[in-house]
Amino acid sequence: MIKSAKILLLIFPSMLVYADNPPQPPLVVAHTAVAVDRLSKSQLRSIYLKRQVIWPNGDKIKVYMLPAKSVTHQQFSQADLQMFPYQLEQTWQKLTFSGIGTPPIEVATAAQMLQLIQTTPGAIGYLPHGNEINNAKVIEIQP
């Protein structure tokens, strides 16, 4: 009993710090030519579920994502898309199986994601908060 009380005393302060400073959601980033500065969470979800495939100016949307097991992908899915990663995966499997569409392009690292966004017109993706972003546009996500 005393041992478990000591563990709680060690864990509790860290829980308070986390409650005061929750992790920042990933930044949504697009190619500089994308004519959109902000998206609602609903619009972003439509893009990642491949329901919206063209930007308002007519450019094709090229969607990138990190591996499903990455912490950044999990944070993005839950905070910005308001879905669990497995729900996204199920939706993409249905689209692929039915022949209607394909899932976003998976990239291995945040650095590779940024490079593809910088060089691919119409590209959109996400990066861990705090990454230095050059030659790309940060898209504001509204509730």
Side-chain angles (χ1 to χ4, degrees), residues 49-134:
L49 293 176
K50 299 290 193 111
R51 293 181 184 138
Q52 179 180 342
V53 295
I54 297 175
W55 291 112
N57 67 356
D59 288 345
K60 185 176 179 182
I61 300 174
K62 193 78 164 188
V63 183
Y64 294 101
M65 67 174 210
L66 292 170
K69 294 195 184 289
S70 80
V71 171
T72 303
H73 177 75
Q74 293 171 9
Q75 290 173 336
F76 170 76
S77 297
Q78 292 176 9
D80 291 322
L81 301 181
Q82 298 177 324
M83 299 177 76
F84 290 105
Y86 77 88
Q87 292 172 306
L88 283 173
E89 183 67 29
Q90 288 174 344
T91 302
W92 297 327
Q93 286 175 358
K94 288 177 188 175
L95 290 172
T96 303
F97 182 72
S98 66
I100 296 173
T102 58
I105 299 164
E106 186 175 307
V107 297
T109 66
Q112 184 182 13
M113 171 93 71
L114 180 57
Q115 180 186 16
L116 286 167
I117 290 169
Q118 291 169 331
T119 58
T120 308
I124 188 169
Y126 51 89
L127 298 168
H129 196 81
N131 269 30
E132 186 174 326
I133 299 170
N134 298 315

